[in-house]
Amino acid sequence: MCDFCVMTSVKERMLSRRSFFTGSAAAAVAAAPREVLAQPARRVVDMTHELSEDFPTFGGVPGISYDKQFDISTDGYNLYVLTVNEHCGTHIDAPLHFTADGQSVSEIPVESLACPLCVIDIRARASQDRDTQVTPDDLTAWIADNGPIPDGACVAMNSGWAAKVGTDAFRGADAARGGSLHFPGFHIEATEMLLEETGAVAIAVDTLSLDHGPSADFATHYAWLPAGRYGIECLAGLDEMPAAGATLMVGAPKIRGGTGGQARVMGLV
């Protein structure tokens, strides 16, 4: 989701929980030695959407603009100055996005950017209900089929929404209902289950927000990010990933003080 669209909500509910998690299990998850590759990789899948002025955004305005400063025909080389919203396209939500003093995107431990990937497939349900959410029952069913969620994992929602990029259905804006958006996300109860019962370091969605479209309180953002975990939004390529056994490589930008930023994400299968 875009930062400028929720600025008022963030200011009103700005949390400072970083000290609570200092030396806690959340910090231990990031620091603990662990195996990175879930299995030897045979194939690399690009899980990143191409960012352009046409890519849909949470706020409905272009997330990137181009100002060409030098041109090959007159200057001998091309160079653009880009104006980019941190939270558009395939991107990371850093803890700082929803906290007063959480980790910036440059402070996310590099060990947390190579993750065993757990894919929660809710495509069938999402095709009937665009506001559906990942629930504890979905997580329990995944665990029953695949075993425990690994420490350091990224738990990703596959709702089938990546295929809707380029259509109005991706945002699901509903003018008849006050302009609210409609797309799937993580239910707060599933988010709390991941926080309390697993060592996952990231959650990811193929939609515009970790919270589902009609959310008015961004409960999942306010629970997950202040706990020192990060999120990925607008992920592509989940249809090519197995439920378990793949590894996610997250090319996070190393921008001082950034609340997030565009990421080149790859799946190793």
Side-chain angles (χ1 to χ4, degrees):
M1 57 176 283
C2 61
D3 53 341
F4 59 84
C5 297
V6 296
M7 188 175 296
T8 300
S9 175
V10 173
K11 286 181 178 178
E12 290 174 352
R13 298 187 54 191
M14 191 72 75
L15 302 176
S16 177
R17 297 171 60 186
R18 190 178 190 183
S19 59
F20 178 80
F21 287 95
T22 301
S24 67
V29 165
R34 58 182 175 82
E35 295 293 330
V36 172
L37 293 179
Q39 62 182 13
R42 300 180 299 275
R43 188 163 59 98
V44 180
V45 176
D46 190 351
M47 304 186 69
T48 314
H49 289 290
E50 182 181 68
L51 180 60
S52 71
E53 294 165 309
D54 299 323
F55 194 87
T57 62
F58 192 90
V61 298
I64 184 171
S65 62
Y66 306 77
D67 180 8
K68 195 166 192 179
Q69 300 286 304
F70 298 92
D71 188 86
I72 188 72
S73 63
T74 56
D75 304 300
Y77 61 98
N78 294 311
L79 185 148
Y80 291 91
V81 172
L82 303 178
T83 301
V84 187
N85 186 295
E86 291 176 307
H87 298 274
C88 66
T90 302
H91 68 276
I92 284 182
D93 281 5
L96 185 58
H97 189 30
F98 269 72
T99 62
D101 59 356
Q103 288 175 335
S104 71
V105 68
S106 67
E107 294 173 324
I108 296 173
V110 68
E111 295 84 0
S112 296
L113 300 175
C115 313
L117 178 63
C118 307
V119 180
I120 311 297
D121 191 339
I122 62 167
R123 285 176 292 181
R125 197 164 74 238
S127 69
Q128 303 299 315
D129 177 9
R130 59 184 179 167
D131 294 331
T132 193
Q133 300 177 73
V134 175
T135 67
D137 287 345
D138 294 318
L139 300 178
T140 299
W142 189 95
I143 292 168
D145 291 340
N146 301 285
I149 292 172
D151 287 346
C154 175
V155 179
M157 175 192 78
N158 183 8
S159 67
W161 238 245
K164 300 179 186 293
V165 169
T167 73
D168 291 340
F170 190 75
R171 295 182 73 244
D174 191 345
R177 302 169 78 176
S180 60
L181 304 183
H182 296 276
F183 47 76
F186 274 82
H187 194 282
I188 182 57
E189 292 178 358
T191 305
E192 290 171 344
M193 178 177 171
L194 289 171
L195 286 170
E196 296 168 4
E197 301 181 21
T198 79
V201 298
I203 56 176
V205 294
D206 53 358
T207 60
L208 283 164
S209 175
L210 304 179
D211 289 277
H212 74 324
S215 173
D217 59 6
F218 304 108
T220 285
H221 279 83
Y222 276 111
W224 189 256
L225 299 178
R229 320 296 174 96
Y230 70 92
I232 307 171
E233 294 170 338
C234 298
L235 198 61
L238 284 167
D239 291 354
E240 299 185 53
M241 295 294 107
T247 300
L248 203 66
M249 304 296 292
V250 185
K254 200 169 183 179
I255 299 172
R256 182 181 299 174
T259 72
Q262 286 67 45
R264 190 67 181 263
V265 183
M266 295 164 284
L268 308 182
V269 188

